[in-house]
Amino acid sequence: MRLKKLGLTALAALGMTAVLSAGLTGVVQAATGDSVLTVADTTKLLPEKVYFKGQSATTQLRNSGGVKFADGQFLLAVMVDTSGYSSDIQQKYQAYLITESPIKIEGHALPAGVYGVGFVAENKFVVLDVGAHDLFSVTSHKDEALKRPMPLKVTAEGDGFRLYAGRNYVGFGK
């Protein structure tokens, strides 16, 4: 009986440790203040149409993602319908990126602003200004372990974030 009681006490202590550890993990994540936005969050913030290279493109709000940084600034990304654009622009311009503060994409500095972005051949991610001029490109990565690839999503990863298009992604952060 005494042995059984000691066993239950030990299990209870382990359980409390697990609960406290889980609670502290949540506090650490909340302490950073950065949070990944849901599609419901981004659809409230993003417009139905965006301007790029002299035209208006319809956004695919169901394929959007973003981050609210600790300072209250946002980064939003949304897939766009590029059917009205020339084929050379369609190859590069797949999504609209809005960032209210400077960020780094794969270590490359990007000032606050509005951009066209896309994942292209040879594992490249391109960033264009609203006039469709190439600003820079970085090497993208492929996540073969991703269970449910989506046309576009944003996830937290370590102390930064990832912007995905299918299994392809680039890392970004402040």
Side-chain angles (χ1 to χ4, degrees):
M1 176 79 163
R2 183 175 165 101
L3 187 57
K4 186 176 179 181
K5 190 173 185 179
L6 282 173
L8 290 174
T9 303
L11 279 175
L14 284 173
M16 278 304 278
T17 303
V19 168
L20 288 174
S21 295
L24 288 176
T25 300
V27 170
V28 170
Q29 289 172 349
T32 66
D34 297 341
S35 58
V36 174
L37 300 173
T38 66
V39 172
D41 295 330
T42 58
T43 57
K44 293 176 188 172
L45 298 169
L46 288 164
E48 291 181 18
K49 291 187 175 197
V50 292
Y51 173 84
F52 187 81
K53 182 62 175 155
Q55 295 183 45
S56 179
T58 304
T59 57
Q60 299 174 14
L61 295 175
R62 68 189 176 284
N63 295 314
S64 62
V67 174
K68 182 176 182 183
F69 294 108
D71 61 4
Q73 300 291 304
F74 287 91
L75 175 135
L76 302 168
V78 61
M79 297 291 285
V80 293
D81 176 10
T82 60
S83 60
Y85 290 92
S86 66
S87 60
D88 63 323
I89 292 177
Q90 285 181 11
Q91 291 173 359
K92 296 190 237 178
Y93 174 48
Q94 301 156 2
Y96 206 66
L97 180 75
I98 303 166
T99 181
E100 293 181 335
S101 61
I103 61 168
K104 289 189 177 184
I105 299 176
E106 294 292 327
H108 198 289
L110 183 68
V114 178
Y115 304 93
V117 297
F119 290 87
V120 297
E122 299 178 16
N123 298 323
K124 293 293 180 188
F125 177 79
V126 295
V127 178
L128 309 130
D129 66 15
V130 295
H133 304 104
D134 290 0
L135 296 179
F136 65 87
S137 69
V138 295
T139 301
S140 64
H141 312 280
K142 194 165 203 107
D143 187 347
E144 294 295 345
L146 186 64
K147 291 187 173 94
R148 293 188 60 217
M150 300 173 71
L152 185 142
K153 77 175 183 176
V154 174
T155 64
E157 184 65 33
D159 59 352
F161 301 92
R162 287 182 178 177
L163 173 63
Y164 279 90
R167 292 188 187 281
N168 298 317
Y169 73 90
V170 289
F172 72 91
K174 281 187 136 188

